[in-house]
Amino acid sequence: MSQAKALHLVFGVIGNATGLFLFLSPSVTFKRIIMNRSTEQFSGIPYVMTLLNCLLAAWYGLPFISPNNYLVSAINGTGVVIESVYVLIFLVYAPKKEKGRIMALLFVILAIFSTVALVSIFALKQEKKRQLFCGFAATIFSIIMYASPLSVMIPNGFGCFLGAMQLILYGIYRNNNDDVKKPTIDGNLEMGLANPHQPKQPAHVKNGQP
């Protein structure tokens, strides 16, 4: 074995060990979900997106896509199993609305993976094109995977922005309220009230007497 191949193997094993710890890190969260029989405020989106990333990376590492990357397929194949367990547990204990959303997202990511796999097999005959296409897909969805936890923060971010805009507008225009004069009680403004400036009529005129 050459020195380059030996280094490739050593760093590959270290990377796989690190990746395994990464995949196992949410186990504490899922232990809590199982004990409480509730997903509480946890989001299932990161685990579904990680599942897609593992599927694409494992596919990329297969010999007919990218030769000599069997360690990539090994760790990401393990990740597919682990993330599938996470998603299954989440679906069992999630509320009905959240369960429907995660199921829909799961169908989408399986459709994406199937599309990438079918295109790489049937549409791309050259090995380099196949490797480039699958590597590009794996990279894009890896970025999306790492950004997926922001799905919890984004709505609150918009809420903070809109709330700040309201406070700014209030600070700008609150002094203008002092310049607005209140309408006087007038017969033209208040229905059913006589004009206070109109002179009173005598009683016999008011009763219709001459």
Side-chain angles (χ1 to χ4, degrees):
M1 181 182 295
S2 65
Q3 185 176 1
K5 288 185 177 180
L7 289 174
H8 184 272
L9 179 61
V10 169
F11 283 105
V13 171
I14 294 174
N16 280 16
T18 305
L20 183 61
F21 282 117
L22 176 66
F23 293 141
L24 292 175
S25 59
S27 59
V28 177
T29 299
F30 281 90
K31 181 180 179 181
R32 174 176 171 178
I33 289 174
I34 293 172
M35 290 180 63
N36 295 336
R37 303 182 67 84
S38 171
T39 57
E40 301 177 5
Q41 299 299 318
F42 296 115
S43 173
I45 295 177
Y47 308 106
V48 180
M49 297 308 300
T50 304
L51 175 60
L52 174 59
N53 180 67
C54 290
L55 285 169
L56 292 173
W59 182 262
Y60 173 80
L62 293 177
F64 59 89
I65 301 293
S66 177
N68 302 321
N69 274 327
Y70 55 89
L71 287 176
V72 173
S73 289
I75 185 58
N76 284 284
T78 304
V80 168
V81 176
I82 295 173
E83 297 301 326
S84 297
V85 172
Y86 290 158
V87 172
L88 181 61
I89 294 173
F90 195 91
L91 288 174
V92 170
Y93 294 107
K96 186 176 180 180
K97 184 177 179 181
E98 182 69 11
K99 187 179 299 185
R101 187 171 68 163
I102 296 302
M103 282 292 293
L105 182 59
L106 183 60
F107 284 125
V108 170
I109 68 112
L110 292 177
I112 292 172
F113 171 70
S114 300
T115 301
V116 172
L118 292 174
V119 169
S120 63
I121 292 175
F122 297 107
L124 301 174
K125 301 299 182 181
Q126 295 182 3
E127 182 180 315
K128 288 191 177 295
K129 289 184 178 180
R130 228 177 9 242
Q131 184 176 355
L132 181 62
F133 173 73
C134 294
F136 183 76
T139 301
I140 292 297
F141 286 100
S142 178
I143 295 171
I144 295 175
M145 178 196 73
Y146 286 111
S148 60
L150 294 176
S151 62
V152 177
M153 186 193 76
I154 289 170
N156 293 328
F158 281 118
C160 290
F161 173 75
L162 295 175
M165 290 298 296
Q166 291 180 4
L167 289 175
I168 292 171
L169 291 174
Y170 176 76
I172 293 173
Y173 293 108
R174 66 185 179 87
N175 294 328
N176 293 349
N177 294 333
D178 299 334
D179 300 331
V180 179
K181 295 182 178 180
K182 296 182 179 180
T184 57
I185 300 177
D186 187 81
N188 297 325
L189 297 178
E190 297 286 335
M191 294 181 63
L193 293 178
N195 190 337
H197 302 292
Q198 183 178 353
K200 294 183 179 180
Q201 296 178 346
H204 65 276
V205 174
K206 184 177 181 181
N207 295 331
Q209 297 177 0

